[in-house]
């Protein structure tokens, strides 16, 4: 180095993430200009302060041989390789136009990604072209913040905001999935446990290997979204910093436009142009989490309120002493099965046939409506709501309930000592410790019903076989005590394909006859390609469950039989069409007229089909009404 050369100034270490110098040092990001050699110094000897930036730029573009040799591991004096070239293996210098195109393309993609995350709704049915033709105030605010920050803080802030955008994108996708199945958004406090249920569903549908690959794919996708969103915001932060004057003017103009559009309520295609939807979405999610965390204390107080907690056992359910009581849930049997014009006529015919079947056997029925706490899925929440008399709307409430000493309708039957309490739960395929909480003396899960036939998609045991197993294992025994049975009929559980059909009860055997029936069924993969076919298979599944139940009562019911059957929740939005109605039918069936006389003041409809104007009760109110009706009565 010449003794006339000013002191060497190191390159600025505060460069942008993509390798470009800070905008305060360079005014261009064009790869073609970056590849041009530095200008030769003028003969006039500059001062050190004036020459430093120019020399630093020259030294950065043309490293000295000694530095290059030392950096590349070459001894001084030896022939050194050619200096490092900008870009990957010098491709930017060799293909400047391509480099420029790649730079523009990635910048545009980064902007598109950020704006899609800001604007996309968290519901599939709300996604339209118009929803993306809006101006988000959050994007304008983000640009203003990044312009105001110094270089290093700008990059860190951009990366952090990018990760936040990525997380919100994942959350919106979860919301979409949950709305399609449960008709509600994902609960950040209580719904994590449901992801394991989703994994179990994948295992049942795809096998263990398919489940593992699906889980790995989902994790990889989530990580990719987080990384890409962070890189996108950093890219945009660098761009606005390099073109600060243009970015400042553009941000101001867009801010003014947003204020005008928001003030005037400007719309395009029925959609408001100026939106603050993303901020509102985050605010709602924060409030949702806050409410969820506070809900635990509210529910604990509700647990202690029980009108029958101190009632002596000999005064409980006296109106049903000596009866066999069956509390039966039909999966996904919702109001849509009766009211929908495309399904109603066929289901109505099944209900009429069931009514005729029951009347021929001497039975009568009364029906009404209950409003379930869930829709689409979450059967256990509905079951516990019905049995506990509390509104069990989430997993936290369910866990709190099942670890408490709150009595349920089933445990009150057990408390009397007048009934043997059993559970027929074919959908349970693993340990179910909560069964003891519900007051069941014995539980028959899918492995204890004697079934040797095939699964029908999610359903381990067809309904007709489950009911026949109940008859053989409990109801048909001689010299037994009265039975209180909680029975869950699972054939109408999503995905409704393939489904079984009723056969002669004498041919059920060990269930192997269902292998042939399953082969005749439909493929769920094909069915779920069409909403119309899904609705058709759902309707058939409900008909099968209703036929199985009414045939069982006709075949095995007697004067002691009291049947209460109901749906646990409405099916998924694919079937309901997105309705917010959560009503399910509920029916009481008995041969003894005194049983139905006790609920004559309920105003329920005669028969097993509730009328449109039949009373609609919240599901958590049924327990106390039922115990009041069948408790001691004056006179």
């Amino acid at each position: 180095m010449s003794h006339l050369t000013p002191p060497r100034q190191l390159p600025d270490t505060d460069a942008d993430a993509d390798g470009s110098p800070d905008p305060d040092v360079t005014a261009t990001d064009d790869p073609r200009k970056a590849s041009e050699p530095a200008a030769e110094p003028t003969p006039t000897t500059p001062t050190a302060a004036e020459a430093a930036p120019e020399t630093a730029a020259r030294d950065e573009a043309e490293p000295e041989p000694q530095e290059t040799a030392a950096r590349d591991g070459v001894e001084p004096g030896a022939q050194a390789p050619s200096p490092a070239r900008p870009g990957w293996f010098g491709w930017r210098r060799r293909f400047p136009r391509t480099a420029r195109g790649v730079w523009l393309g990635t910048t545009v993609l980064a902007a598109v990604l950020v704006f899609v995350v800001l604007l996309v709704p968290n519901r599939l049915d709300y996604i339209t072209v118009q929803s993306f033709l809006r101006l988000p105030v959050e994007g304008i605010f983000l640009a203003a913040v990044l312009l105001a920050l110094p270089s290093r803080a700008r990059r860190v802030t951009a990366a952090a905001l990018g990760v936040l955008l990525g997380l919100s994108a994942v959350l919106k996708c979860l919301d979409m999935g949950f709305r399609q199945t449960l008709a509600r958004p994902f609960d950040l406090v209580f719904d994590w446990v449901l992801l394991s249920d989703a994994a179990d569903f994948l295992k049942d549908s795809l096998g263990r290997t398919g489940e593992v690959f699906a889980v790995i794919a989902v994790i990889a996708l989530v990580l990719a979204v987080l990384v890409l969103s962070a890189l996108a915001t950093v890219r945009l932060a660098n761009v606005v910093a390099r073109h600060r004057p243009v970015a400042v003017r553009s941000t101001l103009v867009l801010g003014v436009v947003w204020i005008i559009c928001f003030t005037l309520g400007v719309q395009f295609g029925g959609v408001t142009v100026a939106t603050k939807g993303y901020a509102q979405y985050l605010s709602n999610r924060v409030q949702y989490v806050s409410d969820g965390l506070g809900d635990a204390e509210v529910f604990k107080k509700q647990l202690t309120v029980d009108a029958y907690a101190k009632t002596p056992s000999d005064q409980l359910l006296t109106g049903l002493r000596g009866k066999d009581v069956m509390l039966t849930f039909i999966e996904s049997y919702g109001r849509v099965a009766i009211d929908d014009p495309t399904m109603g006529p066929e289901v109505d015919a099944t209900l009429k046939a069931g009514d005729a079947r029951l009347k021929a056997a001497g039975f009568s029925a009364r029906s009404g409506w209950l409003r379930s706490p869930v829709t689409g899925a979450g059967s256990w929440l509905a079951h516990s709501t019905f049995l506990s008399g509390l509104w069990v709307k989430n997993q936290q409430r369910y866990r709190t309930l099942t670890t408490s000493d709150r009595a349920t309708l089933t445990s009150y039957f057990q408390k009397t000592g007048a009934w043997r309490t059993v559970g027929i739960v074919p959908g349970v395929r693993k340990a179910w410790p909560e069964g003891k909480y519900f007051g069941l003396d014995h539980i028959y899960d899918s492995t204890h019903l004697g079934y040797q036939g095939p699964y029908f998609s999610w359903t381990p045991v067809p309904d007709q076989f489950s009911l026949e197993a109940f008859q053989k294992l409990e109801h048909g025994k001689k010299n037994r005590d009265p039975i209180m049975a909680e029975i869950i009929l699972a054939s109408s559980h999503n995905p409704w394909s393939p489904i079984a059909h009723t056969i002669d009860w004498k041919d059920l055997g060990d269930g192997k006859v269902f292998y042939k029936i399953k082969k005749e069924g439909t493929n769920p993969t094909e069915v779920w390609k069409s909403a119309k076919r899904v609705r058709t298979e759902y309707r058939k599944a409900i008909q099968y469950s209703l036929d199985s139940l009414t045939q069982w009562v006709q075949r095995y019911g007697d004067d002691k039989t009291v049947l209460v059957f109901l749906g646990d929740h409405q099916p998924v939005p694919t079937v309901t069409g997105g309705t917010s109605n959560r009503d399910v039918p509920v029916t009481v069936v008995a041969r003894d007229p005194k049983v139905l006389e006790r609920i004559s003041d309920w105003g329920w409809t005669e028969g097993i089909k509730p009328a449109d104007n039949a009373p609609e009760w919240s599901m958590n109110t049924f327990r106390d009404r039922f115990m009041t009706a069948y408790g001691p009565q004056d006179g």
Side-chain angles (χ1 to χ4, degrees):
M1 181 179 297
S2 170
H3 67 281
L4 296 178
T5 305
R8 183 176 181 83
Q9 183 177 4
L10 295 177
D12 184 9
T13 58
D14 195 18
D16 286 325
D18 61 352
S20 300
D22 188 84
D24 296 330
V25 176
T26 180
T28 180
D29 49 43
D30 192 334
R32 292 172 295 183
K33 295 182 180 180
S35 64
E36 294 175 2
E40 293 293 332
T42 60
T44 305
T45 302
T47 64
E50 294 171 340
E54 179 181 349
T55 307
R58 183 179 67 249
D59 289 344
E60 182 179 0
E62 297 179 0
E64 292 189 1
Q66 295 88 340
E67 291 185 54
T68 303
R71 185 180 62 230
D72 295 340
V74 180
E75 292 294 332
Q79 185 175 0
S82 59
R85 298 177 180 178
W88 294 334
F89 307 104
W91 73 275
R92 289 184 178 178
R93 174 173 294 175
R94 295 195 304 270
F95 309 105
R97 292 186 178 180
T98 302
R100 181 66 174 174
V102 169
W103 183 88
L104 289 174
T106 54
T107 302
V108 170
L109 289 176
V112 169
L113 175 61
V114 170
F115 273 81
V116 166
V117 174
L118 291 175
L119 293 174
V120 67
N122 67 333
R123 296 182 55 161
L124 289 174
D125 53 333
Y126 284 3
I127 297 179
T128 62
V129 175
Q130 289 84 351
S131 62
F132 296 100
L133 301 179
R134 297 181 294 167
L135 184 60
V137 70
E138 299 83 6
I140 301 172
F141 179 77
L142 175 63
V145 169
L146 295 177
L147 284 169
L149 293 173
S151 178
R152 187 176 300 279
R154 183 182 69 248
R155 290 196 300 275
V156 173
T157 302
L161 291 175
V163 172
L164 175 63
L165 286 174
L167 289 173
S168 63
V170 173
L171 182 56
K172 285 185 176 183
C173 290
L174 286 172
D175 286 346
M176 293 177 194
F178 269 66
R179 287 189 181 278
Q180 287 300 106
T181 55
L182 303 178
R184 63 171 178 81
F186 179 77
D187 192 322
L188 281 166
V189 179
F190 304 119
D191 280 345
W192 296 106
V193 66
L194 299 183
L195 299 182
S196 65
D197 294 331
D200 290 340
F201 181 80
L202 289 173
K203 181 179 179 181
D204 295 335
S205 303
L206 306 175
R208 178 62 178 173
T209 302
E211 176 199 10
V212 171
F213 277 110
V215 171
I216 292 175
V218 170
I219 294 175
L221 181 60
V222 169
L223 293 176
V225 169
L226 298 182
V227 171
L228 288 175
S229 59
L231 292 176
T233 52
V234 170
R235 160 72 71 171
L236 295 179
N238 292 337
V239 171
V240 297
R242 292 175 192 159
H243 304 280
R244 184 179 298 275
V246 175
V248 169
R249 289 194 297 269
S250 300
T251 302
L252 290 174
V253 170
L254 290 175
V256 172
V257 170
W258 188 92
I259 293 173
I260 294 174
C261 291
F262 183 79
T263 303
L264 300 178
V266 177
Q267 293 187 345
F268 178 79
V271 177
T272 303
V273 173
T275 177
K276 53 179 180 177
Y278 183 77
Q280 187 64 52
Y281 173 75
L282 294 181
S283 174
N284 290 341
R285 303 306 289 169
V286 171
Q287 184 62 45
Y288 204 61
V289 169
S290 176
D291 292 343
L293 294 174
D295 180 68
E297 293 300 321
V298 174
F299 188 67
K300 286 180 180 178
K301 293 179 180 178
Q302 296 173 355
L303 278 172
T304 62
V305 180
D306 187 348
Y308 293 93
K310 297 181 179 180
T311 303
S313 59
D314 61 351
Q315 296 182 30
L316 292 170
L317 301 163
T318 55
L320 293 173
R321 298 298 173 102
K323 302 295 185 183
D324 293 322
V325 181
M326 300 166 56
L327 304 176
T328 305
F329 295 93
I330 299 178
E331 284 279 359
S332 303
Y333 179 33
R335 185 163 189 159
V336 67
I338 295 175
D339 289 353
D340 187 89
T342 63
M343 294 183 285
E346 289 86 350
V347 174
D348 184 60
T350 298
L351 292 171
K352 287 181 178 179
D355 260 330
R357 198 176 288 130
L358 294 175
K359 288 180 179 179
F363 287 88
S364 298
R366 298 292 184 273
S367 299
W369 302 103
L370 297 179
R371 186 174 70 257
S372 175
V374 293
T375 183
S379 303
W380 61 96
L381 304 181
H383 300 172
S384 53
T385 294
F386 179 82
L387 297 174
S388 71
L390 295 172
W391 193 250
V392 186
K393 62 182 180 178
N394 56 49
Q395 191 66 17
Q396 180 62 42
R397 286 193 169 204
Y398 178 77
R399 288 179 174 177
T400 303
L401 173 68
T402 53
T403 55
S404 72
D405 57 359
R406 167 82 179 195
T408 64
L409 182 56
T410 46
S411 62
Y412 273 129
F413 273 98
Q414 185 187 54
K415 181 179 179 180
T416 65
W419 283 273
R420 170 175 165 79
T421 59
V422 299
I424 307 296
V425 288
V428 175
R429 286 166 280 178
K430 55 185 179 181
W432 187 46
E434 297 92 337
K436 293 182 179 180
Y437 163 76
F438 288 105
L440 301 175
D441 295 324
H442 192 81
I443 296 173
Y444 297 92
D445 59 21
S446 61
T447 62
H448 294 89
L449 295 174
Y451 182 67
Q452 301 297 319
Y455 277 26
F456 282 79
S457 191
W458 184 91
T459 308
V461 185
D463 289 348
Q464 188 181 9
F465 191 96
S466 295
L467 291 167
E468 179 67 12
F470 168 63
Q471 175 64 23
K472 292 179 178 179
L473 295 169
E474 292 286 347
H475 188 268
K477 290 182 178 180
K478 296 180 180 180
N479 302 320
R480 59 172 176 76
D481 291 332
I483 296 172
M484 191 295 303
E486 179 187 355
I487 301 175
I488 300 175
L489 301 181
S491 289
S492 51
H493 190 286
N494 182 328
W496 311 301
S497 175
I499 56 174
H501 57 77
T502 54
I503 59 176
D504 193 309
W505 292 78
K506 297 179 181 179
D507 296 335
L508 288 172
D510 61 2
K512 291 181 179 178
V513 66
F514 285 101
Y515 276 106
K516 181 180 179 181
I517 296 174
K518 181 178 180 179
K519 290 181 180 179
E520 297 170 352
T522 52
N523 186 327
T525 303
E526 295 299 321
V527 168
W528 279 83
K529 292 180 180 179
S530 165
K532 182 178 180 181
R533 292 194 65 185
V534 170
R535 293 160 65 85
T536 298
E537 295 303 306
Y538 164 77
R539 184 256 300 166
K540 291 179 179 178
I542 294 297
Q543 290 178 283
Y544 169 69
S545 297
L546 291 170
D547 280 337
S548 297
L549 186 57
T550 55
Q551 286 183 24
W552 185 93
V553 175
Q554 181 188 36
R555 184 178 178 84
Y556 298 115
D558 54 31
D559 291 342
K560 297 190 299 180
T561 301
V562 176
L563 169 66
V564 180
F565 74 91
L566 67 153
D568 49 13
H569 54 72
Q570 289 263 54
V572 296
T574 304
V575 177
T576 63
T579 178
S580 59
N581 186 288
R582 296 189 175 189
D583 289 349
V584 297
V586 58
T587 301
V588 178
V589 179
R591 183 182 283 177
D592 185 349
K594 293 181 180 179
V595 173
L596 295 183
E597 285 176 5
R598 284 185 173 247
I599 62 171
S600 59
D601 62 341
W602 286 5
W604 283 16
T605 307
E606 183 177 353
I608 63 174
K609 177 186 176 181
D612 289 344
N613 60 351
E616 301 174 5
W617 298 348
S618 179
M619 187 176 282
N620 61 307
T621 65
F622 180 87
R623 190 203 72 162
D624 286 4
R625 289 175 182 264
F626 186 84
M627 294 187 67
T628 299
Y630 293 105
Q633 294 184 344
D634 296 336

